[in-house]
Amino acid sequence: MARHRAFTAATRVPVFFRDPHSPWQRGTNENTNRLVRDYFPKGVTDFNAVDEAELARVQDLLNNRPRTTLGYRTPAEALNDFLATTD
């Protein structure tokens, strides 16, 4: 994120850095980590043994899961809506 200012200037999307050691400020990130761990349990999963197809399958499942924080839209729908409104 060394170029966060350039990213914000180009996209008009502000970048906010959370305080270190403050997981309560990263609710969506922590929730997503929990969802990923449903598929790949911590301490059990050897990611060297997980192939690209399985990662893509889980990615698609998570990106197509409606989220309360997004008004029951999926992350993919929210991103598409956002991109449709930008230049």
Side-chain angles (χ1 to χ4, degrees):
M1 295 306 305
R3 299 185 58 215
H4 67 90
R5 287 185 184 90
F7 172 83
T8 296
T11 63
R12 290 179 272 156
V13 175
V15 175
F16 178 77
F17 293 96
R18 307 297 182 188
D19 295 322
H21 310 293
S22 303
W24 59 89
Q25 294 179 350
R26 301 177 12 216
T28 299
N29 176 261
E30 294 296 322
N31 183 56
T32 302
N33 287 344
R34 182 187 57 78
L35 294 172
V36 168
R37 291 300 180 194
D38 286 344
Y39 297 96
F40 305 111
K42 188 173 184 174
V44 176
T45 303
D46 176 4
F47 281 100
N48 292 316
V50 178
D51 65 11
E52 292 290 325
E54 179 63 6
L55 290 174
R57 184 185 76 80
V58 171
Q59 174 183 312
D60 288 343
L61 287 170
L62 294 177
N63 283 339
N64 290 301
R65 177 188 175 122
R67 306 285 174 91
T68 305
T69 58
L70 298 174
Y72 295 98
R73 294 177 298 163
T74 67
E77 290 169 335
L79 178 61
N80 286 336
D81 291 349
F82 173 76
L83 293 175
T85 62
T86 61
D87 297 338

